[in-house]
Amino acid sequence: MKIIVASGNAHKIKEIEEILIDHEIISYKQDFKDHKEPVEDGDTLEENAYIKANDIKKLYPNYAVIADDSGLFVDALNGAPGVHSARYAGDEHDDDKNNELLIKNLAGKPREASFISSICFIDKEPLYFRGEIRGKILEIPRGSGGFGYDPYFLPDGCVKTFAEMNSEEKNKISHRKRALEKLKNFLEK
C-alpha cells in the first residue's frame, strides 16, 4: 500500500519507513513543497493529527494518509503542556523557553510524565492509534540529541534521557513507535 505522510520531517519519514516496511511511504512534500500547513488548533492530539491528515488527504484522495501529533503530559501539571507542547511558552516554538517554563512550573512538584503520540490514518474514514511512554522530568538536562523536551525526559527503566539516546535507541521505545506498531498490526489484518 502507498501511504502519504503529512510531514516533511526526514527523521519521522525514516522512522515510519522502518516500521511500516511492507508499505511505500511518501512525504507529501515530494509533490507539494509549497503547500501551507494547516493551523493545529485542536483540543486533543487526535484532533490535531486529524487536521493534518485530512488536509493532505484532500491533495491525495486516492491514497491512504497518516499524520501524527505528540505531546508531553506532566501529571503534576494536570497534563500540561500536553497538546500545546510545542507552543508551551509562546507561539514561536522555542525549545529552550518551553523547557525553562516547564522546569519553573515543576518546582517542588512530582515529576512523573508521559510522552504520547496519536496517529490519524485516513483511507476511507479516520482511524486513530495511540502510543505512550512513561517517565520522569529531570531537573537538569542531559544529552545533546533529540529536540524539545528530550534532554529532560528519562523514560521509566532507562538510564539515558531521550537526548542521550541515538535515534535507533529512541525509536525502539518511543511513543511514536508504539503508535506506529499499532497501525502496522491493523494494516497486517
Side-chain angles (χ1 to χ4, degrees):
M1 171 185 284
K2 183 186 278 192
I3 300 174
I4 311 300
V5 181
S7 174
N9 182 315
H11 296 292
K12 191 181 289 189
I13 302 297
K14 184 175 186 284
E15 182 180 1
I16 294 168
E17 286 174 335
E18 289 172 357
I19 294 169
L20 302 181
I21 196 161
D22 295 329
H23 304 279
E24 184 181 357
I25 306 300
I26 296 171
S27 168
Y28 82 93
K29 290 280 189 182
Q30 272 185 214
D31 299 319
F32 298 95
K33 288 178 181 54
D34 298 324
H35 179 71
K36 188 172 186 250
E37 295 184 8
V39 175
E40 297 174 44
D41 56 2
D43 292 326
T44 66
L45 298 176
E46 286 76 15
E47 287 176 12
N48 283 339
Y50 174 78
I51 289 168
K52 293 185 271 190
N54 189 53
D55 179 62
I56 299 306
K57 182 69 173 169
K58 292 173 187 171
L59 302 175
Y60 295 93
N62 299 319
Y63 294 101
V65 173
I66 63 172
D68 81 300
D69 196 36
S70 299
L72 177 68
F73 293 76
V74 181
D75 299 358
L77 301 178
N78 297 318
V83 72
H84 304 291
S85 290
R87 301 174 303 281
Y88 190 45
D91 287 335
E92 61 272 1
H93 299 253
D94 186 309
D95 288 347
D96 291 334
K97 287 182 182 176
N98 288 339
N99 281 315
E100 185 179 309
L101 180 59
L102 175 67
I103 298 308
K104 176 184 166 195
N105 289 342
L106 273 175
K109 295 181 180 160
R111 295 174 168 267
E112 290 79 18
S114 293
F115 260 126
I116 300 174
S117 176
S118 179
I119 292 176
C120 179
F121 172 80
I122 304 177
D123 192 6
K124 294 175 178 59
E125 60 187 61
L127 300 171
Y128 300 91
F129 302 89
R130 188 175 254 237
E132 178 176 348
I133 184 164
R134 293 286 296 167
K136 68 179 181 181
I137 305 301
L138 302 178
E139 287 190 38
I140 298 169
R142 294 189 347 217
S144 58
F147 59 93
Y149 302 98
D150 287 358
Y152 290 90
F153 187 76
L154 181 66
D156 286 347
C158 294
V159 295
K160 294 180 180 180
T161 66
F162 270 171
E164 293 174 302
M165 296 178 186
N166 63 39
S167 61
E168 189 175 289
E169 291 171 316
K170 181 181 173 186
N171 291 346
K172 283 183 181 174
I173 63 169
S174 79
H175 44 301
R176 185 178 300 112
K177 188 224 195 260
R178 292 174 182 197
L180 283 167
E181 287 289 347
K182 290 177 182 177
L183 171 59
K184 179 182 178 183
N185 292 338
F186 167 78
L187 293 173
E188 289 174 352
K189 289 182 183 177

